[in-house]
Amino acid sequence: MEHVLEVKNLHKSFKTGFIPQKKKVLQGITFQVSEGEIFGYLGPNGAGKTTTLKCILGIIYPEEGEIRLFGLPHTSLEAKKKIGFLPENPYFYEYLTASEFLRFYGQLFGLSPAQREKKISALLQLVGLTHASDIQLRKFSRGMLQRIGLAQALINEPSLVFLDEPLGGLDPLGRKEMRDIILRLREEGKTVFLCSHILQDIEMICDRVAIIVKGRIIDQGKLQDLVSEKILFYEAVISGLPASLVKDLGECMAAEGGRLLLKVEGEEKIKDLMKVVLEQGGTLHSLTPRTATLEDLFVDLVRQG
Amino acid sequence: MKIRAVALNTFREAIRDRILYLLIFFAAIGIIFSRFLALLTVGDRVKIIKDVGLASISLFGMLIAILIGTGLVYKEIDKKTIFTLMAKPIHRYQFLLGKYLGLLLTLLVIIILMSLIFLFLIFGHTLTIEWNLLVAILFIFLELCVLTAVAILFSCFTTPILSSLYSLAFYLIGHLSWGMETIIKKTKPGLGRTLLRILYIILPDLENFNFKTEVVHNLPIPGEIYLQSFLYGLFYSLFLLVLAMIIFQRRDFV
């Protein structure tokens, strides 16, 4: 697969404070995004996600490194014609109505008036804002702004869409709709670059992820490679037995109302536990295998990072 | 096309800004006030109306150029609307030029509106449409082109309050710098005189656009003075805009 985005050794620092001091925000970021995938760019707040995105989009200039979009320098207008961008907080011209807003961006892509109007009504329908086309954006709720933001990001039918925290500020239904739209974009062959710190979003829809902590990418790859499906331990809930009887079989994580929550490692120990329960006349209420989640991986990496 | 889109968007932004209507309201009051001032005058009342009317157009045009101009670019950065815009296929200079032309379009519409009120008021007294007043108004507009460029230049790197103060200082210096000609003449030739001359070239001389007295008193103006003032306005605005573009091109939007 071809790389639609290549980022090599990106460095960026900002001067902050009354007596300006250099603070390194990006320290050698390198990754590639292939055509047609949903790429998750993951990191805690302040890790450098948005700064990377701003460098890619030409909003700020990196001090070092190279960024290529579709094989072209990232600042070239040819490359920008093929991308769409939804910023983290929807910052838009609040004095414009929804359709005026989309018309303005349509003009920047040189769409003809007929193409523009057709596209505007299709996009308003896609994001469910047809009823609000003549309302000024200042009267929009945060969720509506997020939707109109997505519409402007798609006005040029981009091949690569950058979404910065696209599910923030949406209600559960809105989140599902947004996820469906993102998946539909992939079905249409578009590439999606998704920045988020909400792990469930990434886990549910991303093909590949990169994890950034303190300005460095500390892990990247296919989601299934990063998060193994190996069972780490079992959680067993039992009752009718004293804790002293099972203390050698697993760690007692909670004891409430006569029930014990045990963390049991290894299948041998599970067999032993079941034997003890049966022999001593206890009850096994549940037995849940726990596999590693993206969250576990993320927490581990952030702690190490 | 892209510059036009940004310019029309800027025009739309300006005409939906409440501050503009406040300024237009006071400008209209200023022009109409000249009529009452004329009542208190002994002698040629029409001259007073012309004087005060032209001064109102100039003053309120300046206020609109500075107050709206200094916020235009800053607001885009502060409200982060520039993020989405910079991700679109548009050069930074095109954006800045669009902003500039959009505000000029706003000013043009307002000046036309104020001129209509003004000419109508004069017509009420003389029963003739005094077209020659438009010459003075045209040069007021040229001065506003320079002021808007200054406002946009400052707005590229500092806050609206500071930009307004700097732009106002530019306006005041611009209307007082002609006095330097006298100082240069009275200074002995040498380093001091050369430095003063260089300073005079760098500092704006907005009196170049002031044809109010000549027009009100029907004094003859040679054609080359018009041309000279026009070229001065054109090149000074271009110089400021290029400076603004260089600063804007290099800066990070954080």
Side-chain angles (χ1 to χ4, degrees):
Chain A
M1 256 193 279
E2 230 178 282
H3 291 143
V4 290
L5 168 65
E6 284 175 275
V7 176
K8 274 187 214 156
N9 195 29
L10 209 60
H11 284 263
K12 179 74 190 172
S13 51
F14 292 114
K15 283 180 182 160
T16 52
F18 184 69
I19 300 164
Q21 282 183 327
K22 240 183 180 183
K23 190 185 168 220
K24 286 183 179 174
V25 181
L26 300 181
Q27 307 181 60
I29 299 284
T30 301
F31 64 87
Q32 291 90 27
V33 178
S34 306
E35 196 179 347
E37 69 177 355
I38 300 181
F39 184 85
Y41 198 53
L42 186 62
N45 290 334
K49 297 189 296 289
T50 303
T51 306
T52 312
L53 206 53
K54 281 184 186 173
C55 285
I56 296 170
L57 297 169
I59 297 167
I60 57 177
Y61 296 110
E63 284 153 358
E64 216 184 305
E66 193 190 5
I67 306 167
R68 293 189 85 78
L69 281 165
F70 307 97
L72 299 163
H74 69 298
T75 44
S76 89
L77 296 197
E78 271 315 300
K80 285 193 176 175
K81 274 184 190 166
K82 297 190 211 169
I83 63 168
F85 168 51
L86 168 67
E88 182 180 356
N89 289 310
Y91 319 107
F92 302 126
Y93 301 102
E94 50 185 32
Y95 52 87
L96 294 182
T97 66
S99 48
E100 281 172 344
F101 173 71
L102 294 179
R103 204 166 290 132
F104 170 56
Y105 285 122
Q107 283 169 345
L108 295 181
F109 283 101
L111 301 180
S112 72
Q115 274 177 315
R116 222 160 46 211
E117 296 311 311
K118 210 172 141 191
K119 195 79 202 142
I120 289 169
S121 69
L123 282 171
L124 286 174
Q125 200 172 1
L126 176 78
V127 296
L129 285 176
T130 310
H131 64 284
S133 66
D134 294 325
I135 298 176
Q136 281 191 350
L137 298 191
R138 73 174 86 228
K139 291 171 189 156
F140 271 33
S141 70
R142 202 188 130 97
M144 287 164 88
L145 284 174
Q146 197 79 348
R147 286 155 189 262
I148 196 72
L150 183 68
Q152 67 77 28
L154 302 177
I155 189 102
N156 54 325
E157 296 197 11
S159 308
L160 171 59
V161 190
F162 292 92
L163 306 173
D164 196 359
E165 304 286 357
L167 293 115
L170 294 180
D171 57 24
L173 193 66
R175 293 166 84 92
K176 190 186 173 309
E177 282 173 4
M178 185 68 93
R179 270 200 303 268
D180 290 346
I181 291 174
I182 295 171
L183 290 171
R184 200 191 308 169
L185 290 175
R186 180 175 59 186
E187 275 167 32
E188 288 170 7
K190 299 185 195 315
T191 313
V192 180
F193 183 97
L194 190 82
C195 269
S196 184
H197 63 262
I198 303 172
L199 300 160
Q200 291 94 319
D201 299 347
I202 299 253
E203 203 159 23
M204 281 168 95
I205 52 180
C206 290
D207 302 308
R208 240 160 37 86
V209 295
I211 298 176
I212 173 175
V213 179
K214 291 180 188 163
R216 285 195 175 95
I217 289 191
I218 49 173
D219 211 347
Q220 62 176 314
K222 286 193 172 169
L223 202 57
Q224 58 264 41
D225 295 342
L226 293 180
V227 183
S228 76
E229 290 182 6
K230 201 179 108 195
I231 294 166
L232 297 175
F233 59 90
Y234 294 86
E235 283 175 355
V237 179
I238 58 168
S239 66
L241 291 177
S244 56
L245 256 183
V246 290
K247 69 174 194 300
D248 294 335
L249 299 172
E251 185 191 335
C252 181
M253 292 159 74
E256 209 172 285
R259 290 190 178 198
L260 299 173
L261 171 66
L262 295 175
K263 180 183 173 186
V264 188
E265 285 176 31
E267 287 187 20
E268 283 306 309
K269 290 265 173 75
I270 284 292
K271 282 177 190 162
D272 294 345
L273 175 72
M274 292 189 20
K275 206 168 146 193
V276 172
V277 170
L278 283 172
E279 282 172 1
Q280 302 295 324
T283 312
L284 176 67
H285 296 277
S286 69
L287 185 67
T288 319
R290 280 290 309 271
T291 52
T293 61
L294 186 59
E295 191 172 328
D296 297 320
L297 175 76
F298 182 72
V299 171
D300 278 352
L301 288 173
V302 170
R303 278 188 188 148
Q304 286 164 22
Chain B
M1 181 71 187
K2 287 169 191 169
I3 295 175
R4 206 183 88 182
V6 176
L8 290 178
N9 195 37
T10 306
F11 177 69
R12 205 173 278 134
E13 177 182 357
I15 58 167
R16 288 180 190 177
D17 195 336
R18 281 187 201 120
I19 191 170
L20 182 75
Y21 293 98
L22 197 73
L23 288 169
I24 293 176
F25 174 73
F26 280 112
I29 288 202
I31 296 169
I32 294 164
F33 179 66
S34 62
R35 169 76 189 86
F36 295 101
L37 215 59
L39 293 176
L40 306 172
T41 316
V42 182
D44 195 347
R45 288 177 175 180
V46 178
K47 279 203 174 78
I48 292 291
I49 298 175
K50 286 179 184 172
D51 262 339
V52 178
L54 284 174
S56 291
I57 293 175
S58 172
L59 179 74
F60 285 97
M62 178 272 283
L63 284 177
I64 292 169
I66 291 181
L67 290 180
I68 296 186
T70 51
L72 274 184
V73 177
Y74 182 82
K75 252 198 271 177
E76 293 262 359
I77 301 168
D78 190 46
K79 294 197 169 180
K80 301 181 178 174
T81 43
I82 194 133
F83 289 7
T84 341
L85 210 61
M86 288 296 108
K88 305 285 182 236
I90 179 169
H91 288 294
R92 289 188 177 196
Y93 77 84
Q94 289 176 318
F95 166 77
L96 209 61
L97 216 53
K99 284 267 149 195
Y100 177 68
L101 294 176
L103 185 54
L104 283 195
L105 180 65
T106 315
L107 283 166
L108 186 69
V109 171
I110 293 165
I111 293 266
I112 289 173
L113 202 74
M114 289 201 278
S115 303
L116 285 177
I117 299 173
F118 180 52
L119 288 179
F120 184 74
L121 204 67
I122 303 282
F123 182 76
H125 277 79
T126 60
L127 297 179
T128 50
I129 299 173
E130 301 211 15
W131 296 110
N132 64 333
L133 289 171
L134 289 183
V135 173
I137 294 173
L138 188 75
F139 280 93
I140 288 175
F141 181 68
L142 205 59
E143 180 182 343
L144 295 182
C145 292
V146 178
L147 275 178
T148 306
V150 170
I152 292 222
L153 167 67
F154 288 130
S155 150
C156 283
F157 60 88
T158 185
T159 60
I161 293 177
L162 286 178
S163 309
S164 301
L165 286 175
Y166 296 153
S167 306
L168 205 63
F170 178 92
Y171 177 80
L172 292 175
I173 291 169
H175 279 288
L176 298 173
S177 65
W178 60 272
M180 281 186 71
E181 264 187 298
T182 321
I183 302 174
I184 291 168
K185 272 179 203 157
K186 293 197 171 176
T187 312
K188 281 179 193 161
L191 182 68
R193 192 168 174 168
T194 317
L195 286 176
L196 277 174
R197 193 164 285 285
I198 292 170
L199 192 65
Y200 181 57
I201 291 169
I202 296 169
L203 288 178
D205 186 355
L206 298 178
E207 281 299 311
N208 277 328
F209 309 115
N210 188 359
F211 290 100
K212 295 185 199 85
T213 318
E214 289 84 346
V215 166
V216 170
H217 294 278
N218 283 322
L219 302 173
I221 308 164
E224 66 257 29
I225 299 277
Y226 283 138
L227 185 70
Q228 207 180 334
S229 293
F230 174 77
L231 290 177
Y232 183 76
L234 184 74
F235 284 108
Y236 212 100
S237 303
L238 275 178
F239 165 71
L240 293 168
L241 280 177
V242 169
L243 210 60
M245 282 171 195
I246 292 171
I247 293 170
F248 195 69
Q249 182 65 33
R250 295 159 68 104
R251 71 163 291 178
D252 279 344
F253 304 113
V254 286

